[in-house]
């Protein structure tokens, strides 16, 4: 089976001792993945093009003859990420195209398979960099100036990989070629595995609104041994109660809220902190619920002396509702579900492309960890679903 062979070939590339993957944009591992993709494209008899951001596109049929039906995903990973997030969509796309070609299908519109570069933003800090650049959601100037932990800029890294950073920018030619985009992805929660749905495949309807906020809790540095409790201005207490309040506010507002990163000054075991700085990530199916959560939590934190500032906000991203319904029907009533995770599909939808997603069941719901998993039978059901969808949309 073409899926299984491809999956096995990808398995060793960028695998770390943890069992997870370290596949970061414009590294030697990324080059191996891009080379592998190019080889697959050639073996299938498709035409390979590379756009202004370095995303790879494989075309079946002349991409300038009509707006195409495009599928695909990304091959990069987060640090010690799982095998499925990204590669499942690329491998399924190649397998679906192979099936259609072998059965003699004649597409009435060009069919494209994309490998988006740098979806996770693990190296340069901005997720979906490849799709953001070609849609103009991120300027060429900002993109090429992004730096990794070693101080290497994205522009330099592209150049070292043999690409031309001076070409970075919104790519009208590429955008014109995307008539519709369907991204297949492993589900990053476990809705499909619950009794409510119990289905191998679901159809995405939306990406939840989400944002990041910085909370600064000021205090007063002092000796941990000699400062009486009554004399302390310890910001860690305000931070701790804000973490608990975030959990309660999330429960009240049908949202999720996470403090996953914090810095402490001066960061000494025997010093009362002078500052605790923490970042909140909050998401929910509805914008008003995220905003209500933030309002309530900000009021509580500010009453404890904190200042709260917004670092990013993305409103509700709706995929094409008619397309979602149509795909659900085509796939025998596949359940419709929203997701709390970002994707290149969301960037394209925001740019006005008719977009849908297919999710493949993830029995534990774990993602961005080596334990991310999907059963092979569900992966194969995903290939079948994608084949059906491409056959219908390109007919
Ligand atoms: Zn992904």
């Amino acid at each position: 089976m073409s899926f299984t062979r491809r999956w096995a070939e990808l398995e060793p590339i960028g695998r770390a001792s943890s069992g997870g993957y370290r596949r970061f944009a414009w590294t030697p591992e990324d080059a191996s993945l891009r080379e592998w993709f190019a080889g697959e494209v050639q073996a299938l008899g498709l035409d390979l093009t590379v756009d202004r951001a370095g995303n790879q596109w494989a075309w079946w049929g002349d991409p300038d003859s009509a707006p195409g039906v495009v599928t695909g995903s990304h091959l990069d990973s987060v640090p010690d990420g799982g095998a499925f997030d990204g590669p499942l969509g690329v491998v399924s796309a190649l397998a679906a195209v192979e099936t259609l070609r072998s059965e003699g299908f004649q597409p009435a519109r060009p069919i494209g398979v994309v490998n988006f570069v740098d979806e996770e933003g693990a190296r340069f800090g901005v997720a979906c960099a490849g799709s953001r650049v070609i849609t103009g959601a991120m300027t060429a100037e900002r993109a090429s100036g992004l730096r990794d932990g070693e101080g290497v800029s994205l522009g330099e890294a592209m150049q070292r990989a043999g690409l031309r950073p001076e070409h970075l920018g919104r790519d009208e030619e590429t955008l014109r070629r995307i008539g519709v985009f369907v991204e297949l992805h492993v589900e990053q929660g476990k809705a499909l595995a619950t009794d409510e749905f119990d289905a191998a495949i679901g159809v995405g309807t939306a990406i939840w609104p989400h944002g990041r906020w910085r909370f600064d809790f000021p205090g007063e540095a002092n000796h941990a041994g000699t400062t009486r409790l009554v004399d302390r201005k310890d910001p860690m207490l305000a931070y701790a109660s804000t973490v608990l309040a975030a959990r309660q506010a999330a429960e009240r507002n049908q949202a999720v809220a996470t403090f996953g990163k914090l810095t402490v000054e001066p960061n000494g075991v025997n010093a009362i902190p002078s500052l605790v700085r923490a970042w909140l990530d909050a998401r929910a199916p509805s914008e008003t619920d995220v905003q209500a959560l933030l309002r309530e939590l900000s009021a509580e934190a500010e009453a404890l002396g904190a200042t709260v500032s917004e670092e990013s906000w993305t409103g509700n991203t709706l995929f094409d509702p008619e397309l979602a319904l149509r795909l659900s029907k085509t796939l025998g009533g596949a359940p419709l579900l929203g997701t709390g995770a970002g994707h290149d599909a969301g960037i394209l939808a925001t740019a006005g492309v008719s977009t849908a997603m297919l999710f493949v069941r993830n029995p534990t719901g774990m993602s961005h960890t080596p334990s991310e998993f999907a059963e092979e039978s569900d992966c194969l059901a995903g290939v079948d679903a994608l084949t059906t969808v491409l056959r219908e949309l390109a007919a």
Side-chain angles (χ1 to χ4, degrees), residues 73-74 76 84-87 119-120 183-186 188 341-344 357 367-368 372:
S73 190
H74 60 97
D76 69 321
F84 295 83
D85 176 358
E119 193 273 345
E120 299 288 5
E183 179 170 1
L184 179 144
H185 205 279
V186 68
Q188 291 172 290
H343 298 285
D344 292 308
M357 287 191 78
S367 188
H368 287 183
E372 183 181 87

Side-chain angles (χ1 to χ4, degrees), residues 100-391:
L100 291 174
R101 276 171 97 80
S102 68
E103 68 188 31
F105 178 71
Q106 297 286 341
R109 301 161 68 182
I111 291 181
V113 177
V114 60
N115 170 28
F116 277 113
V117 71
D118 202 6
E119 193 273 345
E120 299 288 5
R123 182 173 175 192
F124 297 102
V126 176
C128 302
S131 56
R132 281 183 203 275
V133 167
I134 61 160
T135 56
M138 177 161 63
T139 64
E141 203 181 6
R142 172 150 188 248
S144 64
L146 292 172
R147 289 187 186 274
D148 69 8
E150 251 98 71
V152 178
S153 75
L154 188 142
E156 289 159 359
M158 268 182 95
Q159 201 152 27
R160 287 181 198 172
L163 280 96
R164 307 195 36 197
E166 62 272 27
H167 286 175
L168 280 166
R170 184 176 154 94
D171 192 328
E172 299 295 346
E173 182 183 57
T174 298
L175 291 173
R176 196 173 57 230
R177 291 171 168 179
I178 316 171
V180 56
F181 179 60
V182 180
E183 179 170 1
L184 179 144
H185 205 279
V186 68
E187 196 198 349
Q188 291 172 290
K190 52 178 175 182
L192 291 171
T194 59
D195 290 342
E196 186 192 349
F197 291 129
D198 189 26
I201 308 297
V203 177
T205 52
I207 295 177
W208 292 1
H210 54 278
R212 291 179 183 187
W213 292 268
R214 197 182 82 203
F215 286 59
D216 286 333
F217 299 89
E220 189 177 74
N222 212 334
H223 196 289
T226 58
T227 315
R228 296 186 309 161
L229 292 179
V230 292
D231 292 333
R232 295 178 182 217
K233 293 186 185 114
D234 183 351
M236 195 60 86
L237 300 177
Y239 169 64
S241 77
T242 302
V243 174
L244 298 175
R247 172 64 183 240
Q248 287 158 0
E251 284 170 2
R252 277 197 303 276
N253 292 290
Q254 298 82 47
V256 288
T258 308
F259 279 104
K261 175 178 168 180
L262 84 156
T263 61
V264 179
E265 291 177 19
N267 207 23
V269 177
N270 55 0
I272 296 161
S274 58
L275 177 74
V276 172
R277 173 169 286 169
W279 284 264
L280 172 78
D281 175 306
R283 314 177 189 216
S286 121
E287 288 187 13
T288 50
D289 285 340
V290 186
Q291 282 152 3
L293 176 152
L294 190 79
R295 217 172 29 244
E296 293 164 19
L297 190 62
S298 298
E300 290 184 57
E302 280 160 6
L304 298 170
T307 55
V308 180
S309 44
E310 181 178 300
E311 292 208 333
S312 71
W313 168 250
T314 308
N316 194 23
T317 304
L318 267 187
F319 297 128
D320 183 339
E322 274 175 47
L323 181 62
L325 283 174
R326 180 177 168 191
L327 298 192
S328 164
K329 206 170 144 207
T330 301
L331 299 174
L336 296 161
L337 59 151
T339 175
H343 298 285
D344 292 308
I347 304 296
L348 293 186
T350 302
V353 175
S354 169
T355 301
M357 287 191 78
L358 300 180
F359 292 118
V360 173
R361 175 164 51 195
N362 177 340
T364 62
M366 296 183 81
S367 188
H368 287 183
T369 140
S371 39
E372 183 181 87
F373 184 68
E375 296 287 354
E376 189 175 9
S377 55
D378 286 350
C379 295
L380 298 181
V383 175
D384 279 349
L386 188 60
T387 307
T388 303
V389 163
L390 294 180
R391 198 186 284 119

